[in-house]
Amino acid sequence: MIHPDSIKKFWYRKYADAPATLAKMKNVGSLAAAFNANVDSVVKMSGRTLTQMIARFGLSLCDLQNISVKSIRTPEDILRGIFRCFCLGIAEEWIAEDVEIYRWMKQNLGTDKLQMGAQAGIIANTMAITGIRQVITHVSALPALQADQFLKRDNLLSFDEQGQLKPAHTINRPNEEASVHWIVEFSKNDTVTVEGQTFTCPKSNRFIATYDPMLFNLVIDPHFTAYTGKNPADYVILSGYQALTKQNRGLSLLKKTIPIIRQWKQNRPKTIIHLEIASTQDLSVRRALIRHIMPIVDSVGINERETVDLLEAMKDARLASDCTKNPSAKNLFRALAKIKQKTACPRIQLHMYGLYITLQNRNFPIAPSANRRGMILAAVAAASKAETGRLSEYEDLTAALGQTVCNEGIKGLEEIGLLIGDPGFAASGIGNFEGFSVIAVPTIIVEQPKTLVGMGDTISAFSLIGAR
Ligand code: GLC
């Protein structure tokens, strides 16, 4: 067993390279981000407010725990979702299909701040800061309110009504309506009381309530597909399937994107396409992602919850339950290996509490050591975002540099080391398992994060595109 101090020293030295890794991102030619960008209305909800709202609706514990489907048909469902995520310290996104719910949220949840939302939007903003030469974002609706959420950078582009490529923040497509999602954030150790019973939130996290017809119908801007089809980017970050449902033509909407993905790859086989799974409630849509999309992309990003979601869709109830009961590095690594084998996706990355793990094919175009550099940069950027609550300037990206990695992460590395039969793994983070390369890094944990939304997106993007 290697002494914990020398393991920490190793990682401390590796982390010191993060600014140099970041500087190399300027050499990336282009990134396309699709398909979802929206406006997030972020509210911090205290346990006290939640307790009061539950009382106002007269909901019993039994009412709150009675969740038949994870979607929103009434305001009570919103409270159910928040209560569930608060008590478990987890992140979920539930969908509302009725505009009345949107109106209710506007009136009753309010807004602490508006910011860029959704995988493509968040990643496009963050990646533009690194100096990548061209970041092209797909946006289904781009009126002024949405354009305002884009950073004012000339390398961050989208399409106006005529299909002209322009800095996204300068565009206004006034006939379109911005989609606003509600992000209800809560803090670790806060408490909620129902029927005299007190529940303590184990981990700061958030519940997302989404009413978004553009996303339900996966509205795709033809200017974006025409442009990126002819000028395929070096990297594509893909997401936006999570609000689809089987009842609402979700499966055919999903399939509509297959030729688009294939075209990117055909026109430029070197393009690396990454899919961020996101919180996808509909089981059939999850299955379709596994069957149709995961095999044709190069890389996939998931968190602990989404790992369980995929296991469920793969009908591995046992492993899903193991991971839910005990989300340890060991269990999640087993899950990741299972998903990797089942889907044959060349690279899968999991970000979990204190640790990121990548499993990739031996011949993946990004070497394990570069991957590790990307993952370290991702951990620095994520901690910086958590600590300062923002990533908007170049300096923000490495604000958390110099902090030591967490013990949970080291412990996780040791568990993986045991599992893959590599006693030195915790002091390298690079190994082999069943013919795949394993890359894992311990992260920096910020105890009281100022924000968490978009964290996974940031991690996935830096890990992959910063892998240089
Ligand atoms: C989902 C939500 C979006 C949020 C994002 C954060 O895409 O729809 O509102 O910003 O997740 O990762």
Side-chain angles (χ1 to χ4, degrees), residues 36 38-40 93 116-119 122 181-183 206 208 210 212 215 239 242 278 453-457:
N36 54 343
N38 63 265
V39 179
D40 276 348
E93 177 173 12
M116 174 60 81
Q119 282 65 36
I122 293 171
H181 298 186
W182 259 267
I183 316 290
R206 82 268 172 191
I208 306 183
T210 295
D212 187 341
L215 199 58
S239 196
Q242 69 265 34
V453 68
M455 207 55 102
D457 313 332

PDB file of all heavy atoms in Angstrom, residues 36 38-40 93 116-119 122 181-183 206 208 210 212 215 239 242 278 453-457, ligand 1:
ATOM      1  N   ASN A  36     -29.536  21.640 -26.730  1.00  0.00           N
ATOM      2  CA  ASN A  36     -30.363  22.410 -25.792  1.00  0.00           C
ATOM      3  C   ASN A  36     -29.658  23.592 -25.146  1.00  0.00           C
ATOM      4  O   ASN A  36     -28.551  23.496 -24.649  1.00  0.00           O
ATOM      5  CB  ASN A  36     -30.933  21.489 -24.692  1.00  0.00           C
ATOM      6  CG  ASN A  36     -29.860  20.697 -23.962  1.00  0.00           C
ATOM      7  OD1 ASN A  36     -28.750  20.575 -24.437  1.00  0.00           O
ATOM      8  ND2 ASN A  36     -30.203  20.168 -22.809  1.00  0.00           N
ATOM      9  N   ASN A  38     -31.254  26.968 -22.752  1.00  0.00           N
ATOM     10  CA  ASN A  38     -32.451  27.640 -22.255  1.00  0.00           C
ATOM     11  C   ASN A  38     -32.038  28.673 -21.213  1.00  0.00           C
ATOM     12  O   ASN A  38     -30.854  28.895 -20.999  1.00  0.00           O
ATOM     13  CB  ASN A  38     -33.440  26.618 -21.662  1.00  0.00           C
ATOM     14  CG  ASN A  38     -32.901  25.887 -20.464  1.00  0.00           C
ATOM     15  OD1 ASN A  38     -32.366  24.787 -20.595  1.00  0.00           O
ATOM     16  ND2 ASN A  38     -32.996  26.476 -19.285  1.00  0.00           N
ATOM     17  N   VAL A  39     -33.019  29.274 -20.573  1.00  0.00           N
ATOM     18  CA  VAL A  39     -32.732  30.211 -19.497  1.00  0.00           C
ATOM     19  C   VAL A  39     -33.058  29.490 -18.192  1.00  0.00           C
ATOM     20  O   VAL A  39     -34.112  28.866 -18.079  1.00  0.00           O
ATOM     21  CB  VAL A  39     -33.601  31.484 -19.634  1.00  0.00           C
ATOM     22  CG1 VAL A  39     -33.321  32.463 -18.499  1.00  0.00           C
ATOM     23  CG2 VAL A  39     -33.377  32.153 -20.982  1.00  0.00           C
ATOM     24  N   ASP A  40     -32.141  29.538 -17.241  1.00  0.00           N
ATOM     25  CA  ASP A  40     -32.415  28.934 -15.941  1.00  0.00           C
ATOM     26  C   ASP A  40     -32.815  30.016 -14.941  1.00  0.00           C
ATOM     27  O   ASP A  40     -32.127  31.031 -14.807  1.00  0.00           O
ATOM     28  CB  ASP A  40     -31.166  28.215 -15.399  1.00  0.00           C
ATOM     29  CG  ASP A  40     -31.029  26.798 -15.941  1.00  0.00           C
ATOM     30  OD1 ASP A  40     -31.993  26.294 -16.550  1.00  0.00           O
ATOM     31  OD2 ASP A  40     -29.956  26.205 -15.742  1.00  0.00           O
ATOM     32  N   GLU A  93     -34.422  16.001 -12.721  1.00  0.00           N
ATOM     33  CA  GLU A  93     -35.174  16.969 -13.518  1.00  0.00           C
ATOM     34  C   GLU A  93     -36.493  16.318 -13.904  1.00  0.00           C
ATOM     35  O   GLU A  93     -36.494  15.226 -14.460  1.00  0.00           O
ATOM     36  CB  GLU A  93     -34.374  17.338 -14.784  1.00  0.00           C
ATOM     37  CG  GLU A  93     -35.123  18.290 -15.700  1.00  0.00           C
ATOM     38  CD  GLU A  93     -34.276  18.790 -16.882  1.00  0.00           C
ATOM     39  OE1 GLU A  93     -33.193  18.233 -17.126  1.00  0.00           O
ATOM     40  OE2 GLU A  93     -34.716  19.728 -17.557  1.00  0.00           O
ATOM     41  N   MET A 116     -27.577  31.189 -17.970  1.00  0.00           N
ATOM     42  CA  MET A 116     -27.621  30.241 -19.079  1.00  0.00           C
ATOM     43  C   MET A 116     -27.950  28.851 -18.558  1.00  0.00           C
ATOM     44  O   MET A 116     -27.405  28.418 -17.527  1.00  0.00           O
ATOM     45  CB  MET A 116     -26.246  30.220 -19.761  1.00  0.00           C
ATOM     46  CG  MET A 116     -26.128  29.174 -20.846  1.00  0.00           C
ATOM     47  SD  MET A 116     -27.312  29.401 -22.173  1.00  0.00           S
ATOM     48  CE  MET A 116     -26.466  30.678 -23.102  1.00  0.00           C
ATOM     49  N   GLY A 117     -28.838  28.162 -19.238  1.00  0.00           N
ATOM     50  CA  GLY A 117     -29.183  26.818 -18.817  1.00  0.00           C
ATOM     51  C   GLY A 117     -28.955  25.820 -19.929  1.00  0.00           C
ATOM     52  O   GLY A 117     -28.787  26.178 -21.100  1.00  0.00           O
ATOM     53  N   ALA A 118     -28.960  24.564 -19.561  1.00  0.00           N
ATOM     54  CA  ALA A 118     -28.883  23.404 -20.456  1.00  0.00           C
ATOM     55  C   ALA A 118     -27.464  23.117 -20.945  1.00  0.00           C
ATOM     56  O   ALA A 118     -26.623  24.004 -21.052  1.00  0.00           O
ATOM     57  CB  ALA A 118     -29.813  23.560 -21.652  1.00  0.00           C
ATOM     58  N   GLN A 119     -27.257  21.858 -21.242  1.00  0.00           N
ATOM     59  CA  GLN A 119     -25.917  21.355 -21.563  1.00  0.00           C
ATOM     60  C   GLN A 119     -25.242  22.166 -22.672  1.00  0.00           C
ATOM     61  O   GLN A 119     -24.120  22.656 -22.477  1.00  0.00           O
ATOM     62  CB  GLN A 119     -26.008  19.885 -21.985  1.00  0.00           C
ATOM     63  CG  GLN A 119     -26.170  18.894 -20.842  1.00  0.00           C
ATOM     64  CD  GLN A 119     -27.472  19.047 -20.085  1.00  0.00           C
ATOM     65  OE1 GLN A 119     -28.500  19.355 -20.655  1.00  0.00           O
ATOM     66  NE2 GLN A 119     -27.430  18.835 -18.793  1.00  0.00           N
ATOM     67  N   ILE A 122     -24.626  25.919 -21.560  1.00  0.00           N
ATOM     68  CA  ILE A 122     -23.641  26.066 -20.485  1.00  0.00           C
ATOM     69  C   ILE A 122     -22.239  25.734 -21.009  1.00  0.00           C
ATOM     70  O   ILE A 122     -21.270  26.462 -20.769  1.00  0.00           O
ATOM     71  CB  ILE A 122     -24.006  25.142 -19.297  1.00  0.00           C
ATOM     72  CG1 ILE A 122     -25.304  25.618 -18.646  1.00  0.00           C
ATOM     73  CG2 ILE A 122     -22.868  25.098 -18.276  1.00  0.00           C
ATOM     74  CD1 ILE A 122     -25.879  24.660 -17.607  1.00  0.00           C
ATOM     75  N   HIS A 181     -36.372  27.327 -17.292  1.00  0.00           N
ATOM     76  CA  HIS A 181     -36.486  26.167 -16.388  1.00  0.00           C
ATOM     77  C   HIS A 181     -36.254  26.639 -14.964  1.00  0.00           C
ATOM     78  O   HIS A 181     -35.466  27.547 -14.738  1.00  0.00           O
ATOM     79  CB  HIS A 181     -35.414  25.121 -16.704  1.00  0.00           C
ATOM     80  CG  HIS A 181     -35.507  24.546 -18.084  1.00  0.00           C
ATOM     81  ND1 HIS A 181     -34.713  23.511 -18.501  1.00  0.00           N
ATOM     82  CD2 HIS A 181     -36.314  24.851 -19.139  1.00  0.00           C
ATOM     83  CE1 HIS A 181     -35.008  23.203 -19.760  1.00  0.00           C
ATOM     84  NE2 HIS A 181     -35.965  24.014 -20.169  1.00  0.00           N
ATOM     85  N   TRP A 182     -36.908  25.980 -14.013  1.00  0.00           N
ATOM     86  CA  TRP A 182     -36.668  26.349 -12.613  1.00  0.00           C
ATOM     87  C   TRP A 182     -35.675  25.417 -11.956  1.00  0.00           C
ATOM     88  O   TRP A 182     -35.808  24.190 -12.019  1.00  0.00           O
ATOM     89  CB  TRP A 182     -37.982  26.357 -11.825  1.00  0.00           C
ATOM     90  CG  TRP A 182     -38.422  27.777 -11.698  1.00  0.00           C
ATOM     91  CD1 TRP A 182     -38.155  28.626 -10.670  1.00  0.00           C
ATOM     92  CD2 TRP A 182     -39.154  28.530 -12.658  1.00  0.00           C
ATOM     93  NE1 TRP A 182     -38.652  29.867 -10.942  1.00  0.00           N
ATOM     94  CE2 TRP A 182     -39.270  29.840 -12.151  1.00  0.00           C
ATOM     95  CE3 TRP A 182     -39.688  28.245 -13.912  1.00  0.00           C
ATOM     96  CZ2 TRP A 182     -39.927  30.853 -12.836  1.00  0.00           C
ATOM     97  CZ3 TRP A 182     -40.333  29.254 -14.598  1.00  0.00           C
ATOM     98  CH2 TRP A 182     -40.453  30.529 -14.049  1.00  0.00           C
ATOM     99  N   ILE A 183     -34.659  26.022 -11.354  1.00  0.00           N
ATOM    100  CA  ILE A 183     -33.621  25.248 -10.681  1.00  0.00           C
ATOM    101  C   ILE A 183     -33.759  25.544  -9.197  1.00  0.00           C
ATOM    102  O   ILE A 183     -33.506  26.677  -8.749  1.00  0.00           O
ATOM    103  CB  ILE A 183     -32.205  25.713 -11.115  1.00  0.00           C
ATOM    104  CG1 ILE A 183     -32.116  25.916 -12.632  1.00  0.00           C
ATOM    105  CG2 ILE A 183     -31.131  24.785 -10.581  1.00  0.00           C
ATOM    106  CD1 ILE A 183     -32.172  24.685 -13.472  1.00  0.00           C
ATOM    107  N   ARG A 206     -29.874  19.908  -6.320  1.00  0.00           N
ATOM    108  CA  ARG A 206     -30.978  20.705  -6.866  1.00  0.00           C
ATOM    109  C   ARG A 206     -32.026  19.839  -7.536  1.00  0.00           C
ATOM    110  O   ARG A 206     -31.770  18.704  -7.939  1.00  0.00           O
ATOM    111  CB  ARG A 206     -30.475  21.749  -7.850  1.00  0.00           C
ATOM    112  CG  ARG A 206     -30.218  21.253  -9.255  1.00  0.00           C
ATOM    113  CD  ARG A 206     -28.816  20.804  -9.442  1.00  0.00           C
ATOM    114  NE  ARG A 206     -28.630  20.162 -10.711  1.00  0.00           N
ATOM    115  CZ  ARG A 206     -27.565  19.489 -11.059  1.00  0.00           C
ATOM    116  NH1 ARG A 206     -26.581  19.328 -10.230  1.00  0.00           N
ATOM    117  NH2 ARG A 206     -27.481  18.926 -12.230  1.00  0.00           N
ATOM    118  N   ILE A 208     -34.823  20.182 -10.693  1.00  0.00           N
ATOM    119  CA  ILE A 208     -35.130  21.025 -11.856  1.00  0.00           C
ATOM    120  C   ILE A 208     -36.536  20.717 -12.351  1.00  0.00           C
ATOM    121  O   ILE A 208     -36.894  19.555 -12.541  1.00  0.00           O
ATOM    122  CB  ILE A 208     -34.123  20.809 -13.008  1.00  0.00           C
ATOM    123  CG1 ILE A 208     -32.687  21.019 -12.495  1.00  0.00           C
ATOM    124  CG2 ILE A 208     -34.427  21.728 -14.174  1.00  0.00           C
ATOM    125  CD1 ILE A 208     -31.611  20.895 -13.573  1.00  0.00           C
ATOM    126  N   THR A 210     -39.060  21.536 -15.409  1.00  0.00           N
ATOM    127  CA  THR A 210     -38.926  21.997 -16.787  1.00  0.00           C
ATOM    128  C   THR A 210     -40.247  21.976 -17.545  1.00  0.00           C
ATOM    129  O   THR A 210     -40.871  20.926 -17.692  1.00  0.00           O
ATOM    130  CB  THR A 210     -37.904  21.096 -17.525  1.00  0.00           C
ATOM    131  OG1 THR A 210     -36.624  21.296 -16.915  1.00  0.00           O
ATOM    132  CG2 THR A 210     -37.812  21.412 -18.992  1.00  0.00           C
ATOM    133  N   ASP A 212     -40.953  23.108 -21.284  1.00  0.00           N
ATOM    134  CA  ASP A 212     -40.158  23.589 -22.408  1.00  0.00           C
ATOM    135  C   ASP A 212     -40.606  22.929 -23.714  1.00  0.00           C
ATOM    136  O   ASP A 212     -40.032  21.935 -24.167  1.00  0.00           O
ATOM    137  CB  ASP A 212     -38.679  23.257 -22.114  1.00  0.00           C
ATOM    138  CG  ASP A 212     -37.742  23.867 -23.144  1.00  0.00           C
ATOM    139  OD1 ASP A 212     -38.197  24.222 -24.233  1.00  0.00           O
ATOM    140  OD2 ASP A 212     -36.533  23.970 -22.834  1.00  0.00           O
ATOM    141  N   LEU A 215     -38.068  21.929 -26.294  1.00  0.00           N
ATOM    142  CA  LEU A 215     -37.277  20.743 -25.970  1.00  0.00           C
ATOM    143  C   LEU A 215     -38.126  19.476 -26.090  1.00  0.00           C
ATOM    144  O   LEU A 215     -37.639  18.440 -26.541  1.00  0.00           O
ATOM    145  CB  LEU A 215     -36.742  20.908 -24.542  1.00  0.00           C
ATOM    146  CG  LEU A 215     -35.562  20.057 -24.132  1.00  0.00           C
ATOM    147  CD1 LEU A 215     -34.364  20.290 -25.039  1.00  0.00           C
ATOM    148  CD2 LEU A 215     -35.167  20.351 -22.687  1.00  0.00           C
ATOM    149  N   SER A 239     -26.545  16.960 -26.450  1.00  0.00           N
ATOM    150  CA  SER A 239     -27.458  16.651 -25.358  1.00  0.00           C
ATOM    151  C   SER A 239     -28.838  17.172 -25.742  1.00  0.00           C
ATOM    152  O   SER A 239     -28.999  17.694 -26.847  1.00  0.00           O
ATOM    153  CB  SER A 239     -26.974  17.319 -24.064  1.00  0.00           C
ATOM    154  OG  SER A 239     -27.625  16.735 -22.967  1.00  0.00           O
ATOM    155  N   GLN A 242     -33.343  14.684 -22.931  1.00  0.00           N
ATOM    156  CA  GLN A 242     -33.884  14.276 -21.633  1.00  0.00           C
ATOM    157  C   GLN A 242     -35.349  14.624 -21.398  1.00  0.00           C
ATOM    158  O   GLN A 242     -35.965  14.070 -20.505  1.00  0.00           O
ATOM    159  CB  GLN A 242     -33.027  14.832 -20.494  1.00  0.00           C
ATOM    160  CG  GLN A 242     -33.084  16.316 -20.286  1.00  0.00           C
ATOM    161  CD  GLN A 242     -31.958  17.039 -21.011  1.00  0.00           C
ATOM    162  OE1 GLN A 242     -31.547  16.626 -22.081  1.00  0.00           O
ATOM    163  NE2 GLN A 242     -31.471  18.106 -20.434  1.00  0.00           N
ATOM    164  N   ALA A 278     -27.661  13.425 -19.184  1.00  0.00           N
ATOM    165  CA  ALA A 278     -28.597  14.270 -18.419  1.00  0.00           C
ATOM    166  C   ALA A 278     -29.730  13.424 -17.813  1.00  0.00           C
ATOM    167  O   ALA A 278     -29.904  12.260 -18.171  1.00  0.00           O
ATOM    168  CB  ALA A 278     -29.150  15.402 -19.263  1.00  0.00           C
ATOM    169  N   VAL A 453     -25.514  23.784 -10.380  1.00  0.00           N
ATOM    170  CA  VAL A 453     -26.154  23.497 -11.656  1.00  0.00           C
ATOM    171  C   VAL A 453     -25.136  23.667 -12.793  1.00  0.00           C
ATOM    172  O   VAL A 453     -24.339  24.599 -12.796  1.00  0.00           O
ATOM    173  CB  VAL A 453     -27.419  24.362 -11.844  1.00  0.00           C
ATOM    174  CG1 VAL A 453     -27.089  25.823 -12.016  1.00  0.00           C
ATOM    175  CG2 VAL A 453     -28.238  23.857 -13.008  1.00  0.00           C
ATOM    176  N   GLY A 454     -25.155  22.716 -13.704  1.00  0.00           N
ATOM    177  CA  GLY A 454     -24.242  22.780 -14.843  1.00  0.00           C
ATOM    178  C   GLY A 454     -22.860  22.234 -14.532  1.00  0.00           C
ATOM    179  O   GLY A 454     -21.956  22.263 -15.365  1.00  0.00           O
ATOM    180  N   MET A 455     -22.688  21.701 -13.330  1.00  0.00           N
ATOM    181  CA  MET A 455     -21.383  21.208 -12.923  1.00  0.00           C
ATOM    182  C   MET A 455     -20.952  20.019 -13.784  1.00  0.00           C
ATOM    183  O   MET A 455     -19.825  19.966 -14.268  1.00  0.00           O
ATOM    184  CB  MET A 455     -21.465  20.801 -11.450  1.00  0.00           C
ATOM    185  CG  MET A 455     -20.184  20.883 -10.745  1.00  0.00           C
ATOM    186  SD  MET A 455     -19.460  22.504 -10.902  1.00  0.00           S
ATOM    187  CE  MET A 455     -19.856  23.174  -9.343  1.00  0.00           C
ATOM    188  N   GLY A 456     -21.856  19.072 -13.964  1.00  0.00           N
ATOM    189  CA  GLY A 456     -21.538  17.881 -14.746  1.00  0.00           C
ATOM    190  C   GLY A 456     -21.160  18.252 -16.180  1.00  0.00           C
ATOM    191  O   GLY A 456     -20.219  17.690 -16.752  1.00  0.00           O
ATOM    192  N   ASP A 457     -21.876  19.217 -16.726  1.00  0.00           N
ATOM    193  CA  ASP A 457     -21.611  19.650 -18.103  1.00  0.00           C
ATOM    194  C   ASP A 457     -20.202  20.222 -18.201  1.00  0.00           C
ATOM    195  O   ASP A 457     -19.444  19.915 -19.127  1.00  0.00           O
ATOM    196  CB  ASP A 457     -22.634  20.712 -18.529  1.00  0.00           C
ATOM    197  CG  ASP A 457     -24.052  20.305 -18.177  1.00  0.00           C
ATOM    198  OD1 ASP A 457     -24.307  19.092 -18.118  1.00  0.00           O
ATOM    199  OD2 ASP A 457     -24.898  21.191 -17.934  1.00  0.00           O
TER     200      ASP A 457
HETATM  201  C1  GLC B   1     -30.796  20.378 -17.833  1.00  0.00           C
HETATM  202  C2  GLC B   1     -31.858  21.392 -17.490  1.00  0.00           C
HETATM  203  C3  GLC B   1     -31.279  22.789 -17.509  1.00  0.00           C
HETATM  204  C4  GLC B   1     -30.022  22.863 -16.655  1.00  0.00           C
HETATM  205  C5  GLC B   1     -29.065  21.755 -16.995  1.00  0.00           C
HETATM  206  C6  GLC B   1     -27.921  21.715 -16.018  1.00  0.00           C
HETATM  207  O1  GLC B   1     -30.412  20.546 -19.153  1.00  0.00           O
HETATM  208  O2  GLC B   1     -32.927  21.324 -18.399  1.00  0.00           O
HETATM  209  O3  GLC B   1     -32.231  23.696 -17.075  1.00  0.00           O
HETATM  210  O4  GLC B   1     -29.377  24.083 -16.832  1.00  0.00           O
HETATM  211  O5  GLC B   1     -29.690  20.488 -16.978  1.00  0.00           O
HETATM  212  O6  GLC B   1     -27.070  20.677 -16.245  1.00  0.00           O
END
